[in-house]
Amino acid sequence: MSNRKECCRSLSQWLAPDTFKALAEPSRAALLIHMAGNDGPHTVSSLATHLPVDMSVVSRHLRVLREVGVIKAEKHGKEVRLHLDCGDLIRMLRNLADALESCCPPDVCSVKETS
Amino acid sequence: MSNRKECCRSLSQWLAPDTFKALAEPSRAALLIHMAGNDGPHTVSSLATHLPVDMSVVSRHLRVLREVGVIKAEKHGKEVRLHLDCGDLIRMLRNLADALESCCPPDVCSVKETS
DNA sequence: TGCATGCATGCACTAGTATGCAAATGTAAG
DNA sequence: CTTACATTTGCATACTAGTGCATGCATGCA
């Protein structure tokens, strides 16, 4: 079925290892959750106070998140202000969900109700 | 705003590190994509022929995918038949997307159109 | 110009993980 | 019971990634 092959291409397109790897780290997830739940402005040091790790570690985590495009950074004087920018991520998640849904035969991969 | 706090809880609920870690590995992603694009039955050895790694490695990858619930396995004689079961994954992806969307202020985190 | 602040980076260390090979387990067939 | 086949597991190795400390770099201020 060409539909299967079509969805297969979609899957490889949206199943982005780098993004998932970025989200898979507990500290990075905590950073995202904190930024989502608290209004900014967020800086590297302010974020570091909420995590039990060194600021340099937070800096590196933020870099990873920036590289996959989940957060954006802009310099304001000597501090860096960070904010979520999860539009692409949201689109990616939904596209991946759609691709999976059109791939998986419903009898095998039950989307509705608890299987 | 209590809406922000509410979505924050949703985020921590759906931002499951284990699942993302499972999906972040290229070989595991390739396994999922192959299983999605080709009808079964899939066995450990048949899947191993499509990857440049040892069968034992494939076996371990499949174990990880089973542990996060994206594939199911059932023994048929001496072989193990595997199939996708991504209903939970699809729900998780959509819930996470919804949580992110309700978290991110639209002016900061543009969901519609390319920002 | 000198100093303090915020952040990034180099380095060493550690923990976790992927990999391949060989051996063990389980299961069906002779 | 022995053999053959599919899969899993033990073990050793290589590689990747997270961490903390010290240092470097940029910026603002006195």
Side-chain angles (χ1 to χ4, degrees):
Chain A
M1 320 155 160
S2 72
N3 184 25
R4 293 291 293 278
K5 294 304 176 187
E6 158 69 24
C7 84
C8 192
R9 281 196 298 104
S10 301
L11 266 188
S12 20
Q13 180 180 356
W14 299 116
L15 207 47
D18 285 342
T19 303
F20 283 116
K21 199 177 298 183
L23 299 177
E25 220 285 325
S27 297
R28 286 194 286 265
L31 284 171
L32 289 183
I33 292 172
H34 181 263
M35 292 178 71
N38 301 85
D39 285 320
H42 302 288
T43 65
V44 180
S45 16
S46 77
L47 290 170
T49 62
H50 296 92
L51 286 184
V53 295
D54 195 74
M55 183 179 60
S56 64
V57 175
V58 173
S59 173
R60 275 184 271 248
H61 280 315
L62 291 171
R63 174 185 170 85
V64 174
L65 292 174
R66 245 186 305 123
E67 283 172 349
V68 297
V70 188
I71 66 176
K72 289 287 183 293
E74 43 179 321
K75 294 203 66 169
H76 267 248
K78 52 188 171 186
E79 70 183 12
V80 175
R81 297 192 186 162
L82 303 140
H83 60 85
L84 280 180
D85 183 17
C86 34
D88 287 342
L89 176 59
I90 292 172
R91 273 185 290 275
M92 187 263 264
L93 292 172
R94 295 206 168 123
N95 287 328
L96 177 56
D98 292 345
L100 282 171
E101 192 173 39
S102 64
C103 267
C104 302
D107 56 317
V108 171
C109 180
S110 48
V111 177
K112 40 224 149 240
E113 303 321 300
T114 56
S115 66
Chain B
M1 320 155 160
S2 71
N3 184 25
R4 293 293 292 278
K5 294 305 177 187
E6 157 70 23
C7 83
C8 193
R9 280 196 298 105
S10 300
L11 266 187
S12 18
Q13 179 180 355
W14 299 116
L15 208 46
D18 285 342
T19 303
F20 284 116
K21 199 176 300 182
L23 299 178
E25 220 286 325
S27 297
R28 285 193 287 264
L31 284 171
L32 289 182
I33 292 171
H34 178 77
M35 292 179 70
N38 301 84
D39 286 321
H42 303 288
T43 66
V44 181
S45 17
S46 77
L47 290 170
T49 61
H50 296 91
L51 287 184
V53 296
D54 195 75
M55 184 176 59
S56 65
V57 175
V58 173
S59 172
R60 273 184 271 249
H61 280 315
L62 291 172
R63 175 184 170 85
V64 173
L65 292 174
R66 246 186 304 125
E67 283 172 349
V68 298
V70 283
I71 67 176
K72 291 286 183 292
E74 43 178 321
K75 297 203 64 170
H76 268 248
K78 50 188 172 187
E79 69 184 12
V80 175
R81 296 193 186 161
L82 303 139
H83 59 85
L84 280 179
D85 184 15
C86 34
D88 287 342
L89 176 58
I90 292 173
R91 273 186 290 274
M92 188 264 265
L93 293 171
R94 294 206 168 121
N95 286 328
L96 178 55
D98 291 345
L100 281 171
E101 191 173 40
S102 65
C103 266
C104 300
D107 56 316
V108 171
C109 180
S110 47
V111 177
K112 40 222 149 239
E113 302 322 300
T114 56
S115 66

